[in-house]
Amino acid sequence: MIVEPRIQVQSQDFDLQSEIDTVTAGRKNIGAVVTFSGLCRDEHGALSALELEHYPGMAEAEMRRIAEIAIERFSLLGLTAVHRYGKIMPGENIVLVVAAAPHRQAAFDGASFMMDFLKTSAPFWKKEHAADGTARDWVAAKDADDTARDKWR
Amino acid sequence: MSTKLVYFAWVRERIGKPEEEITVPADVVTVRDLLNHLKSLGEEYENALQYPEVIRVAIDQEHVEHSEKIAGAREIGIFPPMTGG
């Protein structure tokens, strides 16, 4: 059976429960669903928002490419990845991954793999907006994210 | 050869435009050659591409290495390391 990932790049928010329901609806072979959601932090009051820029077309294509590898590698029964763009306020959602499998380890690994590769290869960039109105800069890429990705090799 | 270039994040801000069509000189063969050529086009390009080793490039919306040949590319994306998620 071929499992097609569900990939969404959108400005609007997403709903965790309805995304889980979309993966599990009518299925009786799923024993584990892992969800990861990433939210915008205010960095102890320093930030008023994050601005998310993306490469339209390539962002979806790259997320789909990673998702297809994850489905194959962990024999997932469902995989959804949603990433928002535009201005996102502290406390709001940025990214969602829903991974479904017969057992928990594959679901945990699938979600983790998806996030580790999404962070380092899906074309999205974050710019910080300061709470005091002063200009802040683009978020720098972290070596720790490359390390997290490389552990899957 | 005429190619569409698209820029993102601080590369876009420093160059001062989101995209442009350029005519690629015949001696520009690889991605590395292209980045060096762009650096010669003016201060804003020099500023954006000062450290070419950190710049990421996609040809027709797929990641490529700097050694990749650009012949036949319809669209070349030039951007900083990604920080999504």
Side-chain angles (χ1 to χ4, degrees):
Chain A
M1 187 191 69
I2 292 169
V3 177
E4 286 286 331
R6 172 175 148 75
I7 304 297
Q8 287 287 122
V9 175
Q10 60 189 43
S11 61
Q12 70 270 27
D13 197 9
F14 48 78
D15 181 64
L16 262 82
Q17 191 57 55
S18 71
E19 292 295 345
I20 293 169
D21 292 346
T22 300
V23 170
T24 58
R27 307 287 293 274
K28 293 180 178 168
N29 53 353
I30 292 173
V33 175
V34 166
T35 68
F36 170 83
S37 37
L39 286 74
C40 175
R41 289 182 304 265
D42 75 350
E43 302 291 0
H44 311 287
L47 295 190
S48 64
L50 281 177
E51 186 92 35
L52 265 291
E53 180 169 330
H54 74 299
Y55 188 162
M58 183 175 171
E60 291 87 339
E62 194 62 18
M63 286 167 67
R64 183 171 303 278
R65 187 184 68 79
I66 300 163
E68 285 170 352
I69 295 169
I71 288 167
E72 168 87 22
R73 177 161 172 176
F74 303 104
S75 303
L76 300 178
L77 297 173
L79 183 59
T80 293
V82 185
H83 203 303
R84 294 180 65 195
Y85 61 86
K87 203 169 188 180
I88 296 178
M89 304 298 172
E92 288 185 1
N93 292 316
I94 299 174
V95 62
L96 172 70
V97 169
V98 180
H103 301 284
R104 73 180 182 282
Q105 197 59 50
F108 276 123
D109 287 347
S112 184
F113 178 97
M114 183 73 213
M115 276 308 301
D116 285 343
F117 279 86
L118 185 156
K119 284 192 83 86
T120 51
S121 72
F124 291 90
W125 301 270
K126 293 190 184 102
K127 189 178 195 176
E128 297 179 334
H129 289 251
D132 62 7
T134 57
R136 285 182 66 117
D137 209 355
W138 294 90
V139 172
K142 296 183 189 74
D143 289 343
D145 290 334
D146 289 339
T147 308
R149 174 201 62 202
D150 291 344
K151 74 173 185 278
W152 296 105
R153 291 187 195 283
Chain B
M1 180 179 84
S2 175
T3 303
K4 181 184 181 186
L5 302 183
V6 291
Y7 308 123
F8 295 95
W10 53 255
V11 171
R12 170 180 58 72
E13 286 185 343
R14 290 179 192 178
I15 290 176
K17 50 188 136 182
E19 59 178 71
E20 63 184 321
E21 287 277 339
I22 69 153
T23 301
V24 180
D27 62 345
V28 171
V29 176
T30 64
V31 165
R32 187 174 293 112
D33 296 340
L34 175 67
L35 295 177
N36 283 328
H37 169 67
L38 290 172
K39 275 173 77 175
S40 72
L41 296 183
E43 201 181 339
E44 64 275 30
Y45 292 90
E46 171 70 38
N47 217 348
L49 307 172
Q50 189 178 7
Y51 302 105
E53 62 279 8
V54 307
I55 300 294
R56 306 299 174 93
V57 176
I59 293 182
D60 297 333
Q61 307 201 348
E62 284 186 28
H63 292 294
V64 294
E65 301 292 334
H66 286 195
S67 56
E68 188 80 15
K69 291 188 169 65
I70 63 171
R74 292 183 303 277
E75 180 177 291
I76 302 180
I78 302 178
F79 42 81
M82 289 131 294
T83 55

